[in-house]
Amino acid sequence: MESRNPAFRGSAFDQRAGGYGARPYGGAAYAAPGYAPAATRPMTMDDVVVRGFLTLVTLMITAALAWAFVPTSLAAPVLVVALIAEIGIWAFIAFGRKANAATVLAFAAVYGVVVGLVSHSYNDLYHGVVFQAVVGTALAFGATLAVYALRIVRVTPKFARFVMAAGLALIGLMIVNLVVHLFGGDHGIGIRDPGSPLAYVFSVAAILVGCFFLLLDFDAVETGVRTGAPEKFAWYCAFGLVLSLVWIYLEILRLLSYFSGRD
């Protein structure tokens, strides 16, 4: 059985001959990146929980440090450097298939700097909005987990394709919006303009897509545990979960800012 999450497809999570050799399921075997066909114990749910917790805590610590110690005068250049580093590490993990403790925690640390600086700037303008966004993210995570556990939404290949297409469409619209803004449009195409109803629709859609990606993450974890994926695959799961959670958090943060008056 193959993971429905596009992030874990290909050589990262396919059941193909070769791979781990001694870890077959349904007549096939996993072939994950960068792992030799030596014996390795299978991944457990505890592995995912522990690694996910470590990744999220690392992100939260660096976010708090960036919030507390990066002065406003340096926030912009530090943010740019952190964004470049984040994209570089993300590409290395996603395309190089090299998820392990060092790469995932490094990604979380750099991403935490970005999240901390962005959160601080929002909180300066809309006091209390960060706490509300954190609570909203926790509620979204709990609701999505309940929906998955109760099989209210079933993760199928068709659903995975829809989520992937929706995610790419949202990213494409954000890029178009940025380009239009850079070339003279005050508010781009309106998807980030608080005065436009389109901005509210876009943020709600982005939050929903983030929750859909969480469903794919949950399916990847469940599939990996059930079919005997190697223990190191838990780092891929932690990476995907944190990406989805931060996506949801940032979109909730932006949506709440539309309803908040500036201090």
Side-chain angles (χ1 to χ4, degrees):
M1 183 174 182
E2 186 178 277
S3 170
R4 308 299 184 204
N5 192 335
F8 300 136
R9 291 198 175 189
S11 61
F13 201 60
D14 280 352
Q15 297 168 313
R16 296 175 181 172
Y20 296 99
R23 196 64 60 187
Y25 177 80
Y30 279 102
Y35 302 140
T40 179
R41 73 171 179 82
M43 179 181 79
T44 66
M45 193 64 69
D46 286 344
D47 291 328
V48 178
V49 172
V50 170
R51 285 157 178 73
F53 178 77
L54 288 174
T55 305
L56 191 58
V57 167
T58 299
L59 185 145
M60 293 172 64
I61 289 173
T62 56
L65 291 174
W67 180 311
F69 296 110
V70 175
T72 304
S73 59
L74 294 177
V78 170
L79 180 61
V80 170
V81 172
L83 278 171
I84 294 172
E86 172 206 334
I87 293 171
I89 300 173
W90 170 84
F92 180 77
I93 294 174
F95 299 111
R97 307 292 190 180
K98 298 294 183 183
N100 52 44
T103 56
V104 174
L105 293 180
F107 174 81
V110 175
Y111 205 8
V113 174
V114 175
V115 171
L117 294 177
V118 171
S119 299
H120 196 185
S121 65
Y122 268 89
N123 204 65
D124 284 344
L125 292 173
Y126 315 101
H127 184 67
V129 73
V130 169
F131 176 75
Q132 296 170 13
V134 170
V135 173
T137 304
L139 292 175
F141 178 84
T144 306
L145 182 58
V147 165
Y148 181 79
L150 296 173
R151 298 299 191 262
I152 295 174
V153 175
R154 293 190 176 274
V155 179
T156 64
K158 184 177 180 180
F159 177 80
R161 289 193 295 270
F162 163 76
V163 174
M164 195 63 176
L168 291 174
L170 290 177
I171 293 172
L173 284 173
M174 286 189 280
I175 292 174
V176 170
N177 186 70
L178 177 61
V179 171
V180 172
H181 176 71
L182 291 176
F183 284 92
D186 290 340
H187 298 291
I189 59 176
I191 61 173
R192 294 305 196 186
D193 176 16
S196 169
L198 187 60
Y200 294 79
V201 174
F202 184 85
S203 286
V204 170
I207 293 168
L208 288 175
V209 169
C211 291
F212 294 159
F213 269 106
L214 267 183
L215 290 174
L216 299 187
D217 295 329
F218 295 151
D219 179 71
V221 173
E222 184 180 41
T223 302
V225 171
R226 184 177 64 250
T227 57
E231 175 251 345
K232 288 185 177 181
F233 184 71
W235 285 113
Y236 277 100
C237 297
F239 175 64
L241 286 167
V242 168
L243 276 176
S244 299
L245 279 173
V246 174
W247 169 301
I248 293 169
Y249 165 75
L250 292 176
E251 287 301 333
I252 290 178
L253 185 64
R254 182 179 286 273
L255 180 62
L256 289 173
S257 72
Y258 297 158
F259 297 97
S260 302
R262 292 196 178 192
D263 291 340

